[in-house]
Amino acid sequence: MKNNTIIFVGLDTHKEFTEVAYCEDQRGSEVKHLGRVSSAKVSLTKMARQFESKYPQATLHFVYEAGPCGYWIYRLLTSLGHCCYVVAPSLIPKKPGQRVKTDKRDAQDLARLVRNGDLDPIYVPEPADEAIRDLSRARERAMHDLNNARFQLKALLLRNHINYSGKSNWSLKHLRWLTEIILPHPSQQFVLQEMIQTISERNARLERLDNELAHHVKQWRYYPVVKAIQALRGVRLLTATGVIVELGDLTRFDSPRKLMSYIGTTPSEHSSGGKRHLGAITKCGNGRARRLLVEAAHSYRYPAKISKELQLRQEGLPKEVIDQAWQAQQRLCRRYQRLIHKGKHRSVVVTAIARELIAYIRSISKEVTLPRIDPKTRISRVPA
């Protein structure tokens, strides 16, 4: 075997076991099937050691599909000093006529495709970044559960022709009004009390998650970026945190266009024979980040101004960041009104604003100095 040979190892991972196949870096070399190993950390470490002993002068490159099992396999193999790639299942090339799918073939295809350079790895977050992402997503799920409980209670009242005459729902006055309602049947009264109790519990759960998120985000290494991009209109703490936890380091994108394409806000295209046809946005990539940006883009329908709340968020930020935020607000507000006057649909206009908003977020994040991650200890260190 030649020195510096690369061995590509394809892993088809599952909860209980992992199918393993490998091949050398010579194009056209046979893809060999190693077999099935347990998905336990001890078994995967032993499998890597076997490759090290069999190919002592080779570099091992592992690849597997992203899935519900997370990134612990990536972190295990990289901690052993090997290269590891995680690929999105939707971006793996597949032959149109291929009708047979097995775990063995999947592992062999991964090894072959990564050797041929046909796979693009995805971004893998650091463990601390993933922890903040879990907390941010848990807060969003709590809000979703609370809204579902409110909808169910309002549906119950609507079926019984009970309407609230006040101005705002779910205020203290509205909650007191709910406790005074008497339904005609005891069974319905019991359901009403259970729904009120559920809403109270989910309100308390949401408050706990809000407090935890606000506390832990301030200790996060990306908090300087989260604080800086809140200088933009429509980007408060929850939106800023959600975008950064989903997209990670925005400076890894070479250009704003690549970032726009990554989150799926660029239009699809089907051009042929000199004819160009642009369709709806691709909606690829992270859907939660795209939705948060669209929600933030709605605030640009009003004229540009610095509100009291926005001024408070900008206090203590560098002048360069504040200037970029004001430039972004002026441009996006004008663009919103210009597209509306052209007769564009409001959803199309908001999507176009969101597409440009992420470019300004990337530009502001480049102005912030972040602590680096020590690859050996995985601890954040502030550069000297």
Side-chain angles (χ1 to χ4, degrees), residues 69-90:
C69 295
Y71 303 116
W72 68 267
I73 296 179
Y74 168 88
R75 293 169 182 143
L76 173 65
L77 295 174
T78 52
S79 66
L80 298 176
H82 304 302
C83 296
C84 185
Y85 310 106
V86 185
V87 297
S90 59

Side-chain angles (χ1 to χ4, degrees), residues 328-339:
Q329 186 176 169
Q330 287 182 311
R331 172 180 170 81
L332 297 181
C333 289
R334 288 196 304 264
R335 181 168 172 79
Y336 191 101
Q337 296 301 325
R338 185 167 60 251
L339 292 176

Side-chain angles (χ1 to χ4, degrees), residues 105-359:
R105 288 196 177 192
D106 289 343
Q108 291 174 335
D109 290 341
L110 287 173
R112 184 184 302 106
L113 290 171
V114 72
R115 179 195 61 190
N116 298 339
D118 295 332
L119 295 178
D120 295 325
I122 64 173
Y123 172 77
V124 178
E126 296 292 332
D129 303 342
E130 190 175 12
I132 298 295
R133 186 183 68 180
D134 291 338
L135 183 57
S136 177
R137 290 180 176 179
R139 192 268 172 199
E140 183 175 347
R141 286 193 297 269
M143 189 68 209
H144 183 265
D145 294 341
L146 175 60
N147 287 333
N148 281 342
R150 289 173 172 177
F151 295 152
Q152 292 174 14
L153 190 147
K154 293 179 73 174
L156 175 66
L157 299 181
L158 182 62
R159 290 195 300 270
N160 290 273
H161 193 62
I162 300 175
N163 299 318
Y164 178 59
S165 59
K167 294 183 179 180
S168 59
N169 291 328
W170 313 117
S171 61
L172 292 178
K173 182 179 179 181
H174 180 244
L175 293 177
R176 287 193 294 268
W177 173 78
L178 289 176
T179 60
E180 299 172 356
I181 297 176
I182 303 296
L183 294 178
H185 299 284
S187 58
Q188 286 182 321
Q189 188 67 30
F190 178 79
V191 172
L192 175 63
Q193 296 301 325
E194 285 294 320
M195 288 184 173
I196 295 175
Q197 182 66 24
T198 299
I199 292 175
S200 300
E201 293 173 355
R202 293 184 180 181
N203 266 320
R205 174 192 174 196
L206 181 64
E207 185 177 356
R208 291 193 302 269
L209 287 170
D210 280 335
N211 294 334
E212 285 297 312
L213 185 62
H215 171 71
H216 288 288
V217 164
K218 293 180 180 179
Q219 304 174 5
W220 187 30
R221 68 186 182 104
Y222 278 113
Y223 180 67
V225 178
V226 172
K227 184 176 177 60
I229 65 177
Q230 290 184 67
L232 292 165
R233 184 174 182 173
V235 183
R236 298 178 180 85
L237 178 63
L238 295 177
T239 302
T241 304
V243 171
I244 299 301
V245 298
E246 297 296 339
L247 302 181
D249 185 10
L250 301 181
T251 60
R252 74 182 192 270
F253 296 95
D254 298 334
S255 65
R257 187 175 295 275
K258 290 185 178 180
L259 178 55
M260 297 172 186
S261 177
Y262 179 79
I263 62 175
T265 55
T266 53
S268 58
E269 183 175 356
H270 185 79
S271 302
S272 178
K275 295 182 179 180
R276 188 186 185 198
H277 176 71
L278 297 178
I281 59 174
T282 59
K283 291 188 179 181
C284 62
N286 194 291
R288 181 175 179 233
R290 182 172 60 252
R291 180 178 52 77
L292 290 173
L293 291 169
V294 170
E295 290 177 357
H298 281 281
S299 63
Y300 291 93
R301 65 183 182 273
Y302 303 109
K305 61 174 290 187
I306 301 296
S307 63
K308 181 180 178 180
E309 181 185 358
L310 183 57
Q311 187 176 6
L312 291 174
R313 298 205 306 263
Q314 293 181 353
E315 288 182 356
L317 296 178
K319 185 178 183 301
E320 295 79 6
V321 173
I322 297 176
D323 291 342
Q324 287 194 41
W326 177 242
Q327 178 187 359
Q329 186 176 169
Q330 287 182 311
R331 172 180 170 81
L332 297 181
C333 289
R334 288 196 304 264
R335 181 168 172 79
Y336 191 101
Q337 296 301 325
R338 185 167 60 251
L339 292 176
I340 288 293
H341 291 328
K342 284 185 177 180
K344 299 291 185 180
H345 193 274
R346 191 174 298 273
S347 61
V348 176
V349 176
V350 171
T351 304
I353 299 301
R355 180 166 56 246
E356 292 197 26
L357 180 61
I358 189 60

